[in-house]
Amino acid sequence: MDQENSSTFKHQISARIRLVTDPNNDIPHLHKLITQMANYHNLTEYLTVTETSLSNTLFKSPPFHSFTALILEVSPNPFPITPHKDLSFNPIIKNNFNLKAPVLDPQSNTFRSENDVYVAGHVLVFPSYNGFFEKPGLNMDQIFVRKCYRGLGFGKMLFSAVASVAASMGMGMVDWLVADWNEESIKFYEKMGAHCVSDYRLYKLYGEKLQQCANISG
Amino acid sequence: MDQENSSTFKHQISARIRLVTDPNNDIPHLHKLITQMANYHNLTEYLTVTETSLSNTLFKSPPFHSFTALILEVSPNPFPITPHKDLSFNPIIKNNFNLKAPVLDPQSNTFRSENDVYVAGHVLVFPSYNGFFEKPGLNMDQIFVRKCYRGLGFGKMLFSAVASVAASMGMGMVDWLVADWNEESIKFYEKMGAHCVSDYRLYKLYGEKLQQCANISG
């Protein structure tokens, strides 16, 4: 539908990972990315997140001390290397890298964040704890790159950004769940040095059952 | 070894679940409980938690906004029903319930928290987020009852305390992982109305691999 506004990256592309901070500009993009990810996982029927719920959940504490989002942006032009401003997360920039083949983004209009800058992916994290370990961890809840930007190293860039946050905060690990049919992701994570701890089952208590169980405590 | 100081509950027992708040008194008990749980799971070789790391991790934010511990205490005497003090967690008390058989606690001396009050179990929780959902959840990292107090309903009391916190905070769910060999726990959780989401694998990136991956971000 945005075909007439599509952008083509022919020779070079620049990328930036930065903190989601702007409820008015970033949140609608993030919501669309999450919806695309749910669609990819065939989970749209379970999707209850809204732009409002994202705004209400994301900015409640300093970044990475609670639910936090990073977005990946791409541009045909290099991103300005801004000096370190003692931010919680200094943007990660990779300027002017060469493309093997042109990239056509049919949704560039939908995902435009500023002039000639387009949102291409995201990652959601929050602190996790395991009582057996000395140090907390960083849970990676979602990692996603839009279809037309896959295979260019952006997943690795997002994943290593998460590892870098965890390491710089003195955390002991990054942990996450992978759908067991998602072979491509599993291959990627194992290449990145991740260990599978397979002998666990994920349980959830929700809805009426949660309320019933809560009522036992009176 | 505490045999000479062991306590026996013959007819009645009273129970209280309260927030872990006192680094000097509660933390050593909590550390011993975690060690017993690691032993039960055959994971003592991975145990790196210390009393100091627990103190440093548990009291960083208001309860339930980050890593939080509740402990279960038992006593032959009823616990005072203290009026609501606008605490983050009002203690849950179940006084004077009848025992089918006497309970002998061979470690009562090790786990004494005050006169005739003994620490019997714990639960560790922290807020969890799933980007697909409107509401955050409460992750239950550990739930444990000391051996001599099992089968008396204390697991259910701890679990429903967690559900009650999640519900009262407007959270959408409680979620947790269960070792797949732990049939007894699985049976218990399913009886409590929990759903198994089995098609996920848990991955972790830690140690040297975490550092290597972090270095990619430069």
Side-chain angles (χ1 to χ4, degrees), chain A residues 85-101:
Chain A
K85 290 186 232 164
D86 195 31
L87 282 171
S88 317
F89 182 78
N90 215 20
I92 294 171
I93 290 166
K94 202 173 161 190
N95 275 334
N96 298 325
F97 69 96
N98 294 319
L99 293 168
K100 286 174 209 159

Side-chain angles (χ1 to χ4, degrees), chain B residues 76-91:
Chain B
N77 311 313
F79 286 98
I81 312 282
T82 44
H84 184 79
K85 289 186 232 166
D86 195 31
L87 281 171
S88 318
F89 182 78
N90 215 19

